Amino acid sequence: MRFLVTRVQPQADAWVRQLCAAGHEAQALPLIEVHALADVSAVQAAGQRWSSYHAVMFVSHHAVNCFFKENQALALYIQAQATIKTRVWTTGPGTTKALLAQGVPASLLDAPDAQSGQFDSEALWQRVQSQVQPGQRVLIVRGRSQPLAGLEETLTDAGVGRDWLAQRLTQAGAQVDFVVSYQRGAPDWGSEQRTVAQMAAVDGTVWLFSSAEAIGYLNELLPQQDWSQALAVATHPRIAQAARSLGFGQVQQARPVVADVLASIESFR
């Protein structure tokens, strides 16, 4: 099979290597680009308030790296101060790995089990809800998306899971703060990328989607494209629904693990 990996770089290239190692053809075609913020003062201020939070939740690998880039001494501070009890929450193994790489102790991390059926805010809540007490403060570190003008709600997942988690926390009596640590937006495609995408819509290539927001950008990039012959694997029900709403002819769902993605494509053969 041939795959198009639409994840943000450098994760897209990592997935390409794994798929090629499994004997498939794969190419990266990122549908989201990440940029640093012009003003990082809010991120730095949030880092200074770290110990005032019961937990800090990171929405992605990029949220972790951009946050700690502006708070470089924080991980050392966390390690050195045994009295710091702030929990660190993530929804998936990639974000957990990024936190460990930044030096956050594994003993402070909470995430869905590696064998969980889904890596999302709902699965995280099942893991952490017993921790939450009225009056506690929780910080959610997230990105900010470029507006998707004129697109249906089903074509953007920006903040859906995080807002759901914030609602659960508020209902439990916690105070929720947000801080934006990076900017997301559509890629700037040239003619080569457009040709690759147009061919992949009709030639049996399997599109790998890890974000409904990315599907929204795809619609902006190729607004007249017919997707009725296109194949896709999505890593969450919301993302699968976005692909179907755009018009993808066949959509399978799989956990964001290469082995699960490969198992899901059997119906395409």
Side-chain angles (χ1 to χ4, degrees):
M1 301 290 287
R2 181 173 184 272
F3 293 90
L4 272 188
V5 182
T6 65
R7 287 174 172 265
V8 181
Q9 292 288 22
Q11 292 96 319
D13 284 342
W15 272 73
V16 166
R17 289 192 293 271
Q18 292 182 74
L19 290 165
C20 289
H24 299 277
E25 182 183 350
Q27 179 178 349
L29 189 70
L31 285 172
I32 296 179
E33 290 185 351
V34 169
H35 305 282
L37 299 177
D39 182 357
V40 297
S41 58
V43 179
Q44 294 169 339
Q48 293 169 3
R49 297 193 304 269
W50 181 275
S51 60
S52 71
Y53 290 106
H54 164 72
V56 179
M57 186 267 193
F58 289 90
V59 305
S60 68
H61 177 281
H62 288 284
V64 172
N65 289 344
C66 292
F67 184 89
F68 280 95
K69 180 182 178 182
E70 306 305 331
N71 294 283
Q72 294 186 13
L74 181 58
L76 293 175
Y77 173 72
I78 295 169
Q79 294 173 34
Q81 301 294 322
T83 57
I84 298 296
K85 302 298 183 183
T86 301
R87 306 298 300 175
V88 185
W89 297 349
T90 78
T91 58
T95 310
T96 298
K97 184 177 180 181
L99 285 161
L100 292 171
Q102 291 288 350
V104 176
S107 60
L108 295 177
L109 294 175
D110 296 302
D113 187 89
Q115 302 306 313
S116 174
Q118 200 63 57
F119 300 129
D120 57 15
S121 293
E122 290 89 337
L124 173 64
W125 180 243
Q126 292 300 315
R127 183 69 178 266
V128 303
Q129 61 179 320
S130 61
Q131 298 179 15
V132 181
Q133 301 295 325
Q136 290 176 335
R137 300 178 69 199
V138 175
L139 174 67
I140 297 179
V141 184
R142 65 193 302 177
R144 180 173 58 218
S145 300
Q146 172 184 313
L148 291 168
L151 296 183
E152 299 178 8
E153 257 184 52
T154 53
L155 290 183
T156 175
D157 67 344
V160 170
R162 277 73 76 189
D163 290 343
W164 181 93
L165 179 63
Q167 290 172 4
R168 303 288 86 73
L169 288 163
T170 300
Q171 290 168 0
Q175 175 186 327
V176 181
D177 296 336
F178 291 90
V179 67
V180 171
S181 68
Y182 66 101
Q183 175 81 40
R184 292 188 301 266
D188 183 16
W189 276 5
S191 59
E192 181 180 350
Q193 289 93 342
R194 292 180 186 278
T195 298
V196 168
Q198 289 165 340
M199 290 296 296
V202 297
D203 66 2
T205 293
V206 179
W207 292 71
L208 298 187
F209 292 123
S210 58
S211 166
E213 185 178 354
I215 297 172
Y217 291 141
L218 179 61
N219 188 46
E220 282 193 336
L221 290 160
L222 296 175
Q224 304 303 318
Q225 182 64 47
D226 178 3
W227 299 103
S228 60
Q229 298 181 60
L231 313 177
V233 175
T235 59
H236 191 277
R238 284 191 290 266
I239 304 171
Q241 181 55 47
R244 295 186 184 101
S245 295
L246 189 59
F248 270 70
Q250 296 186 59
V251 181
Q252 297 294 327
Q253 185 184 325
R255 296 192 315 151
V257 178
V258 169
D260 289 25
V261 167
L262 294 177
S264 75
I265 66 171
E266 290 304 314
S267 63
F268 294 152
R269 293 181 183 277

